[in-house]
Amino acid sequence: MSDEIRENAVNGKVWDDFCDSLKEAGQIIIDNSTEDIDRLEGFRYLSRLTRGELGRLESHGAAYARILPIAHNVKIGCDNPDALYQGVSISGTFDYRIRGPRGTVNYLSMNALSGSFGLGGAPPGRQGSLAFNDPKPDEQVDVIASATEPERLEPGQRWLQTGPETNQIVIRNFYLDRSAERPSELQIECLNGPDETPPPLSAQRLTHGLARAALGVHGIARRFVDWLDRFQDRPNTLEFLPKQDGPGGWGDPTQAFRHGYWTLEPGQALVIDVPPIDVYYWNFQLNNIWEESLDYDWLQVTVNKHSAVYEPDGTARIIVADDDPGFANWIDTAHHRHGTMGLRYNQVVEDTPPTLRVMEVADLPSLR
């Protein structure tokens, strides 16, 4: 560690640089929004991203990895309201064992990832992936995460491939019914790390942690503004994300993910017909322009395979409107005039696209 790093950390310059960088991130919000609600949610978005990125400073390093939930309400890239996201910072130079109760949640996955959304970071990539369907009573998860395939696995144990560039593992628990399902309870152990306890906070770790947090806030905010730009000229449609943003990036490889930009005038509704489809899981959700899911704790802004009400032919008809029009599968716009939206298919057998149309709310009774 250089004397300059130590000096800048202890005299406050590192903190000042971090605060200045956060201030500059506000320009992303100003440049990409005009309406009050978008601006207000945009600045809150930056505060949420900051909270999430600063959490990395609590890590003692890859040799002391811990599985932690993503901070509450840190919403990134069309976050799934049906998901419990967990992440763990690792290094591909170490081997790990992940184990614990599988839980009863509908779907569990692990993805070994590399890269970063932060400015100047390597592009997102995935080295290995595991999926756990159909929970069994008292099922236990036991996974070895390593760059080299183990010579022998214990009964029931599985291998998650990592690589030299792997820097994190993301765990997804997908619910069909949060009120009835229990998520996994997993722990991680570094198998070939040091025996001693973690070292104290160093000037270098603080310096790198704050710099990485600031780059993360900028990078995430800019990346998902690009998603908005990609679909804004094709409003009220749902199309697949490019491979580098979906299955080829940090997306779950078992998912087919459609995305779009929605906009409605007062008195209008967006009608989305999701056809009968052979799929393990699906959900539709409404987001704001920053790709944050709307407030699913209090409002009906999402529907999934379990919660949907179906037409006689198996179609799920979804109605996006300001007020409840008296149809099943109503999605509340939450006082927004526009935003983004997503439709996920998990382990789809054969894709059949949805149909979308804008109608006057007054004409909706003709659909009955």
Side-chain angles (χ1 to χ4, degrees):
M1 181 180 64
S2 71
D3 290 341
E4 183 181 7
I5 289 177
R6 186 198 66 79
E7 180 67 20
N8 288 340
V10 299
N11 69 18
K13 183 178 185 306
V14 166
W15 178 256
D16 289 345
D17 290 346
F18 169 71
C19 293
D20 288 343
S21 181
L22 285 186
K23 182 178 180 180
E24 293 171 4
Q27 197 61 43
I28 300 173
I29 306 304
I30 297 296
D31 290 345
N32 292 279
S33 60
T34 57
E35 297 187 13
D36 285 1
I37 193 167
D38 295 332
R39 290 274 177 93
L40 296 173
E41 291 182 342
F43 291 121
R44 183 184 63 184
Y45 175 48
L46 294 183
S47 77
R48 288 172 167 177
L49 294 180
T50 302
R51 179 159 46 91
E53 292 298 300
L54 283 176
R56 300 176 184 273
L57 264 173
E58 303 304 323
S59 170
H60 290 286
Y64 306 96
R66 296 175 63 202
I67 296 173
L68 298 172
I70 305 299
H72 176 65
N73 265 347
V74 175
K75 300 182 174 188
I76 298 174
C78 196
D79 60 290
N80 187 349
D82 292 327
L84 168 65
Y85 294 101
Q86 296 171 300
V88 52
S89 296
I90 69 162
S91 168
T93 61
F94 292 122
D95 300 337
Y96 300 88
R97 187 175 187 181
I98 302 170
R99 53 182 166 173
R102 158 73 172 82
T104 62
V105 69
N106 177 63
Y107 172 75
L108 171 68
S109 72
M110 296 182 192
N111 289 276
L113 306 174
S114 61
S116 170
F117 284 148
L119 292 182
R126 184 179 59 252
Q127 286 68 60
S129 181
L130 292 177
F132 302 80
N133 291 341
D134 302 322
K136 305 172 184 63
D138 302 318
E139 181 180 358
Q140 295 290 307
V141 169
D142 194 350
V143 170
I144 299 297
S146 60
T148 303
E149 185 173 5
E151 293 183 2
R152 184 181 66 85
L153 291 172
E154 297 178 6
Q157 203 168 56
R158 298 174 68 180
W159 175 47
L160 175 65
Q161 183 176 6
T162 63
E165 67 274 36
T166 303
N167 56 24
Q168 64 179 300
I169 295 172
V170 170
I171 300 169
R172 291 174 170 90
N173 289 263
F174 276 11
Y175 301 86
L176 281 176
D177 183 354
R178 275 186 185 267
S179 66
E181 296 171 21
R182 187 178 68 254
S184 60
E185 300 176 38
L186 305 178
Q187 302 291 327
I188 189 169
E189 173 190 5
C190 184
L191 299 177
N192 50 356
D195 293 330
E196 62 266 21
T197 58
L201 179 65
S202 67
Q204 186 171 35
R205 192 174 123 208
L206 177 68
T207 299
H208 289 174
L210 288 176
R212 184 175 58 181
L215 292 173
V217 171
H218 279 263
I220 293 169
R222 290 185 180 180
R223 183 178 185 88
F224 295 110
V225 163
D226 291 343
W227 280 21
L228 174 67
D229 291 342
R230 181 177 292 140
F231 295 103
Q232 208 163 11
D233 62 349
R234 301 186 297 282
N236 300 319
T237 62
L238 283 166
E239 304 173 21
F240 285 122
L241 285 169
K243 184 177 180 181
Q244 67 269 20
D245 286 321
W250 280 356
D252 192 309
T254 68
Q255 286 188 161
F257 181 37
R258 280 189 167 85
H259 191 80
Y261 167 79
W262 66 272
T263 180
L264 295 171
E265 297 296 329
Q268 289 185 329
L270 177 61
V271 179
I272 305 167
D273 286 332
V274 179
I277 190 165
D278 188 0
V279 62
Y280 188 74
Y281 163 92
W282 68 263
N283 92 301
F284 172 81
Q285 66 185 79
L286 224 56
N287 312 315
N288 61 22
I289 66 169
W290 312 114
E291 298 290 349
E292 294 183 296
S293 62
L294 297 180
D295 191 355
Y296 53 82
D297 286 331
W298 297 98
L299 301 173
Q300 185 61 43
V301 295
T302 184
V303 64
N304 69 20
K305 179 181 178 179
H306 170 75
S307 63
V309 175
Y310 295 89
E311 301 295 313
D313 67 353
T315 297
R317 174 161 288 161
I318 299 166
I319 308 289
V320 178
D322 292 341
D323 300 301
D324 186 353
F327 282 73
N329 309 326
W330 167 54
I331 300 296
D332 193 335
T333 59
H335 308 288
H336 292 68
R337 292 264 59 87
H338 65 169
T340 60
M341 56 185 171
L343 175 65
R344 288 176 178 83
Y345 292 150
N346 188 291
Q347 300 172 66
V348 63
V349 175
E350 183 178 357
D351 176 55
T352 305
T355 60
L356 295 87
R357 51 186 159 154
V358 174
M359 295 182 61
E360 296 297 318
V361 171
D363 294 335
L364 290 177
S366 66
L367 298 177
R368 296 188 186 278

